[in-house]
Amino acid sequence: MSAEENMFDLTQLKESNNSIIVVPSDNVFVELGRNTYDYKDLLSELIDNSIASRYPDKLLNVNIDLYVDTNNRPVQFYIHDDAKGIPQDILASAITPAGLQSKDSLNEHGMGMKQAVAGLGKLQFLATKTQDEAKARMIREFRFGNLPIYEIDFDTPSGTWISIENLNPTVSSNSTNYTRSIIPYLGARYRRFLKPDHKLLNLVIRIHQKDQAEKIDYEWIVKEEKPIYFHPSTRINEPVINRYPLEGKGWAAELTFGYAPNTKEEFDELGIDEPNKFHPYRISLSTQGLDIFSQDRIILFHQLSELNMISSRHNDYNTIRGEIDLKYGFSTAITKNSMIADQNFEECIDKIRHILNGQEPGPGGKIKEYLKVKTYPEEIPEKLLRGRLMDWLINNPLTKRKEVNKEYVIEGIEGFIDIIADGEAWELKVNQCSAYDIYQLFMYMDIGKIKKGYLVAKDFTTGAQVAAKFVNENHNKEIVLTRRDQFPINHPPTDQERTDYY
C-alpha cells in the first residue's frame, strides 16, 4: 500500500456523538515559573507590565522593595506603580495566561506578569485601583474559576501593587550584585524611558529588614545607561550610522551602527571614565554588537555573531556598537528575551548584514564594508609612532614645543634624527633599546652639537642603561631614557591610520 493510499481522507469525516472537555489546570500558574529567565529578566517583565499601563503624559513611578530576614535571606518581594491600574472588566483576562494580549505593546503575549510572579515565588496578593474607583481590588492567588475579590483602602489615585512570598533562590539580596549588575542592566534595558531630558520612568529598588520595614538598608535609583561611541573620523561620541530606516513588505526598522572606545586613551579623548568590568557596555567579546529594541525596550543585548552577521566572534569586531530598532512587523518569543525568527525578521537581518558587509548601499547610497576584517601587524609601525609622538610634542598642554621637525637630517652623515623639538633630539625605537642605539643617538647629538636627547623605547637593556650613564657623565651630553608607555601613542590604529601606514 502506497503512502498516498494510507493517508486519511479528511473530506469524509463524520462527527461522532462523543466529545471531550478540556479543563484548565491551575498547575499552569506554577509551570510558568519554569522558564529560562534570570533575575533581571523577571524584574523586567514586571516593569514592562507597569510601563504598558502608564499614563502617556505622566512620569511613571515604579518602586521595587525586597525584604530580607536577619540572615539577609529574601522573604518578601513587593512592586508598586502609579499607572492606570487594571479595570474590573479585564482583571480576569489579565490573570489568565495569554488572556490579555496587546499588540504593539510590552504586554504582547499576556504572559509576562504570571511568568515573573511564578519565577520569583508565590503570589501573596495583587491589588489594583483605577482612577475612578474609591477602593483598590485585591486577589490573593492566581487560579482558574471563581476567584474572590477583596476591597482595601489605598491612598494612591491609581496603580497596581504585587506582593510575592516564599521566594525562589533566583531572587538576589546581595547588594553588590545589584550595584554591579542588576541596576546597570536595567538602566541599559530601559534607557529610552530614563533619559534625563525626557524622563518617562522613575525606577527605584530598595532592600529592607523585614522586622524594620521602615528602615532602608540599600536604595538604588536606576539611571540611564547608554552605549558610548567613538567615531573613527570625528573622534567624538557618535555612531557612524544613525537611525537609518529599513523596510520591507509588512515591516520597518532602524539601524544605528558605530564603534566603541577601546583603550584608556580613547576614553580620555572623549572625557569619559572607562567603565568597570561589570558594566553592560564593557568592551569584550561577550558585549560586542547590536542591541535589539522593541517597543523602546531592549529585547536582546549585544547581538552580532548570534544573528549570523559574522560567522563567529572575533577580536577584530570588539569595538562594534549599535541598535536594531524594530518598529513594526515583528514579534518576540513568549519569554521576551528573544525574537521570533520569522520571514520579516530574517529579511531585516539579511538587509543589515548586506549593508554592514558592503554588499548593498547604506546611508547616502554608499557601499562600505563596515564589518571588514582589518588585518595588521600586532606591533605599531615606527613611522606611525613617530608621527603620534610629534603631534604630542606640539599639542600636549604641559610642555608644548614651539619648533618641531620630523626626520631631521644631520649634515655630513647618513641617517636622520627622528624628531628635533626646540633644539632637543628625540629618537624612537619600537622594541627594546640596546647600547648600540645609545651610541647612535650620541653620534647624532655630537655632530649636530645638540646638548640633550631623549630615547623613547618599549624597554631598555642593561647595556643601554650603562651606556647612557657613561655618556651623561663623560661627554657633557644628557640622554634621557623614557619608556614608550609614558606617552599617549600606543593605542590601536584608527581606520585612517591603517590606510596611511599599513
Side-chain angles (χ1 to χ4, degrees):
M1 184 180 292
S2 68
E4 289 79 3
E5 291 172 325
N6 198 34
M7 295 287 285
F8 291 107
D9 185 355
L10 300 182
T11 63
Q12 301 301 314
L13 289 179
K14 292 183 179 179
E15 187 174 351
S16 73
N17 295 325
N18 299 319
S19 64
I20 60 173
I21 298 174
V22 179
V23 179
S25 170
D26 291 337
N27 290 335
V28 71
F29 290 102
V30 176
E31 292 301 317
L32 284 172
R34 305 185 197 281
N35 51 55
T36 58
Y37 279 153
D38 62 16
Y39 185 45
K40 296 189 292 290
D41 290 329
L42 295 171
L43 293 177
S44 297
E45 282 289 8
L46 294 176
I47 296 165
D48 289 351
N49 210 56
S50 297
I51 290 175
S53 184
R54 72 184 181 90
Y55 293 100
D57 56 347
K58 181 181 172 185
L59 176 69
L60 171 67
N61 293 288
V62 178
N63 293 284
I64 296 173
D65 292 273
L66 181 66
Y67 297 91
V68 298
D69 62 18
T70 53
N71 294 314
N72 201 42
R73 288 180 301 215
V75 292
Q76 185 180 19
F77 177 95
Y78 186 81
I79 182 169
H80 164 228
D81 67 50
D82 59 0
K84 295 178 182 178
I86 307 171
Q88 169 78 25
D89 58 345
I90 64 171
L91 181 57
S93 297
I95 294 168
T96 302
L100 187 63
Q101 298 174 317
S102 303
K103 195 66 177 171
D104 300 326
S105 163
L106 289 175
N107 274 347
E108 181 178 2
H109 304 291
M111 303 281 281
M113 178 181 69
K114 282 75 71 174
Q115 286 181 316
V117 170
L120 293 171
K122 179 180 180 296
L123 181 72
Q124 184 183 41
F125 67 79
L126 181 152
T128 188
K129 181 176 180 290
T130 60
Q131 208 164 32
D132 57 353
E133 292 178 307
K135 293 180 180 291
R137 287 163 285 109
M138 177 183 286
I139 60 170
R140 299 298 308 276
E141 58 183 325
F142 286 159
R143 64 174 173 81
F144 294 105
N146 190 16
L147 200 61
I149 294 179
Y150 306 90
E151 288 189 346
I152 190 167
D153 290 320
F154 270 97
D155 295 333
T156 311
S158 64
T160 299
W161 302 260
I162 298 175
S163 179
I164 304 169
E165 57 187 0
N166 298 343
L167 300 179
N168 295 328
T170 311
V171 179
S172 174
S173 58
N174 185 316
S175 61
T176 302
N177 187 31
Y178 280 87
T179 301
R180 288 179 173 179
S181 178
I182 295 169
I183 303 302
Y185 270 88
L186 292 177
R189 174 161 276 169
Y190 295 101
R191 64 175 183 256
R192 292 189 177 177
F193 296 93
L194 296 166
K195 292 178 178 291
D197 57 344
H198 186 57
K199 194 171 185 180
L200 303 174
L201 170 65
N202 182 44
L203 177 58
V204 180
I205 300 179
R206 306 182 187 93
I207 296 179
H208 314 251
Q209 290 287 326
K210 178 65 174 175
D211 56 356
Q212 302 177 47
E214 297 304 316
K215 180 177 175 293
I216 300 172
D217 292 340
Y218 300 97
E219 181 179 69
W220 298 271
I221 299 173
V222 180
K223 297 180 180 179
E224 175 192 24
E225 295 282 358
K226 57 185 179 180
I228 302 166
Y229 292 98
F230 189 70
H231 197 291
S233 301
T234 62
R235 317 291 284 180
I236 61 175
N237 184 2
E238 65 178 15
V240 175
I241 299 173
N242 191 28
R243 303 184 75 86
Y244 179 65
L246 308 164
E247 61 181 15
K249 186 176 180 179
W251 64 269
E254 288 181 346
L255 172 66
T256 296
F257 176 88
Y259 307 94
N262 202 26
T263 64
K264 183 180 184 304
E265 288 78 11
E266 290 175 348
F267 278 102
D268 289 344
E269 195 169 341
L270 292 174
I272 297 172
D273 291 335
E274 194 171 2
N276 63 42
K277 64 181 180 180
F278 304 104
H279 194 275
Y281 291 109
R282 175 73 179 181
I283 306 302
S284 72
L285 283 174
S286 62
T287 56
Q288 64 173 332
L290 310 176
D291 296 339
I292 294 185
F293 273 86
S294 179
Q295 305 301 322
D296 285 331
R297 184 258 217 203
I298 290 181
I299 303 298
L300 289 162
F301 281 99
H302 319 308
Q303 300 300 295
L304 197 64
S305 60
E306 291 87 344
L307 295 172
N308 296 319
M309 293 284 180
I310 57 176
S311 57
S312 61
R313 290 181 177 181
H314 193 286
N315 284 323
D316 283 331
Y317 300 110
N318 273 1
T319 62
I320 283 172
R321 276 287 171 269
E323 301 172 1
I324 303 173
D325 194 351
L326 305 177
K327 295 299 185 182
Y328 64 82
F330 305 95
S331 181
T332 62
I334 59 171
T335 50
K336 230 185 302 172
N337 52 11
S338 62
M339 300 301 303
I340 298 296
D342 58 12
Q343 182 176 346
N344 286 0
F345 188 70
E346 292 296 332
E347 282 183 8
C348 176
I349 296 304
D350 281 346
K351 191 171 188 65
I352 292 171
R353 185 191 305 116
H354 292 155
I355 290 172
L356 296 183
N357 281 314
Q359 295 169 307
E360 68 175 80
K366 296 179 180 178
I367 290 180
K368 183 175 180 180
E369 295 179 272
Y370 296 95
L371 292 181
K372 183 179 179 181
V373 177
K374 302 175 179 68
T375 57
Y376 55 93
E378 185 175 341
E379 193 56 76
I380 301 172
E382 184 174 322
K383 193 168 185 179
L384 173 53
L385 289 171
R386 191 183 303 139
R388 288 177 173 178
L389 181 59
M390 179 176 175
D391 290 341
W392 181 83
L393 288 168
I394 294 170
N395 297 309
N396 82 89
L398 297 177
T399 55
K400 283 186 179 182
R401 291 352 190 245
K402 294 179 180 178
E403 187 175 347
V404 182
N405 293 289
K406 187 168 60 172
E407 299 178 0
Y408 182 81
V409 176
I410 301 294
E411 192 173 344
I413 63 171
E414 296 179 358
F416 55 81
I417 298 174
D418 285 341
I419 299 171
I420 288 287
D422 290 349
E424 297 175 340
W426 289 75
E427 277 288 295
L428 188 144
K429 302 297 177 187
V430 172
N431 297 307
Q432 193 177 53
C433 174
S434 67
Y436 172 83
D437 299 312
I438 301 296
Y439 282 109
Q440 183 185 52
L441 176 57
F442 169 66
M443 178 186 69
Y444 290 156
M445 292 170 63
D446 195 31
I447 295 174
K449 296 182 173 53
I450 299 168
K451 289 284 187 179
K452 188 172 183 178
Y454 296 85
L455 220 162
V456 180
K458 192 171 186 178
D459 203 356
F460 301 91
T461 65
T462 303
Q465 296 174 45
V466 171
K469 183 179 179 183
F470 184 84
V471 169
N472 292 347
E473 292 177 350
N474 294 279
H475 292 284
N476 195 29
K477 303 285 184 186
E478 183 183 359
I479 294 179
V480 179
L481 305 185
T482 309
R483 289 172 59 92
R484 222 176 75 194
D485 58 16
Q486 301 301 307
F487 300 91
I489 62 174
N490 302 291
H491 48 280
T494 65
D495 282 353
Q496 187 60 50
E497 287 174 333
R498 293 182 189 196
T499 300
D500 294 343
Y501 290 96
Y502 289 89

